Amino acid sequence: MTNATTRGVDRIAQAGTGALAQTGNIVQLFVDVARQTFVRPFQWREFIQQAWFIASVTILPTALIAIPFGAIVSLQTGSLIKQLGAESYTGAASVLVVIQQGSPLVTSLLIAGAAGSAVAADLGSRTIREEIDAMEVLGINPIQRLVVPRVLAMVLVAMLLNGLVAVIGIGGGYFFNVVVQGGTPGAYLASFGALAQLPDLYVSTLKAAIFGVLAGVVASYKGLNPKGGPKGVGDAVNQSVVITFLLLFLANLIITAVYLQIVPPKGS
C-alpha cells in the first residue's frame, strides 16, 4: 500500500514538474516571438499566405456558428426581458452580450480549433521531416521565418473574425427578435446604445488579439516539439487545442474581471 502511494505521489510530482516546464517553454517561445517580430527582413510573403490560409479555414465555420449564436442570445434575452417587462431593452442586451462576450469566445473557439490545429499540424510535419533542423543548420531562425508570421496572421484574422461574428450575431438577433418573437424593429435598433458603449468594442477587439497570440504561440510550440513521429504530430495537435481552450477561457475571465472594474457599466 505504501509503495503504491509513493508511486502515485511520484507520478503527480512528475506531472506537475512537466506542466511547469512546459509552461516555461511556452513563455520562452512567446518572448522569442516578441523579439523576432522586430527582426528584419519581415517575412511578408509567409504572413500573407498564412493569413489567407487561416481566414479560408475559419470564415465559413465562424459565420455558420455566429448565426445560431445570435439567434440563441436574442431568443433567450428577449424571453427574459419580456418577463421583466422591459421589452424596449432587448436590442441593448443582445448587442452587449454579443459584442462583449459572444464574439470573442466564438472567435477563440474557431481560432484554436481550426487555425491552431492547422498550424500545429503544419509545423509538426516540418519538424518530423527534419526541415526545422535543416533551417537551423543553414543559419535560418525558424521562429523568425515560420512562427512569427503565423502568430501575427492569427492575430489579424482573429480581430477580423471578431468583427464578423459581432455583425452576423447582431443581425441574426435582430431577425429572430423581430420575426420570431414579434418585436418592434425601431425599438430594437433604438436601444443599441442604452447599455453598450464604445469601450465594449475596444475590449472585444483586445480579447480577440490576445486570443490570437495565445493560440498561435501554443500551436507553434506543440508543432515544434512533437514526440513519436507522425502519431506524435496528431497528439501535439490535440494537446494544442485543449491547452489553448483552457488558456483562452482563463484569459477571457481575467480580462472581463479587470475591464468591469476599470470601466463602469453605462448608466451607473
Side-chain angles (χ1 to χ4, degrees), residues 119-237:
V119 169
D122 178 40
L123 293 178
S125 62
R126 290 172 182 262
T127 302
I128 65 174
R129 292 198 303 263
E130 300 182 350
E131 292 183 17
I132 304 299
D133 295 336
M135 293 177 65
E136 292 177 346
V137 170
L138 293 174
I140 301 174
N141 191 330
I143 295 178
Q144 193 265 344
R145 179 65 178 81
L146 298 176
V147 177
V148 170
R150 284 163 172 78
V151 173
L152 295 182
M154 292 183 76
V155 172
L156 175 62
V157 175
M159 295 172 67
L160 296 177
L161 288 180
N162 182 69
L164 177 65
V165 173
V167 172
I168 295 178
I170 293 173
Y174 171 83
F175 175 81
F176 279 90
N177 178 260
V178 173
V179 175
V180 178
Q181 293 182 316
T184 305
Y188 189 93
L189 297 175
S191 65
F192 272 17
L195 299 177
Q197 50 187 335
L198 199 56
D200 294 332
L201 181 61
Y202 296 156
V203 74
S204 178
T205 306
L206 176 63
K207 283 182 180 181
I210 293 176
F211 293 166
V213 172
L214 291 175
V217 171
V218 173
S220 298
Y221 171 76
K222 284 298 181 180
L224 293 174
N225 298 277
K227 297 179 180 179
K231 181 180 182 299
V233 175
D235 294 338
V237 171

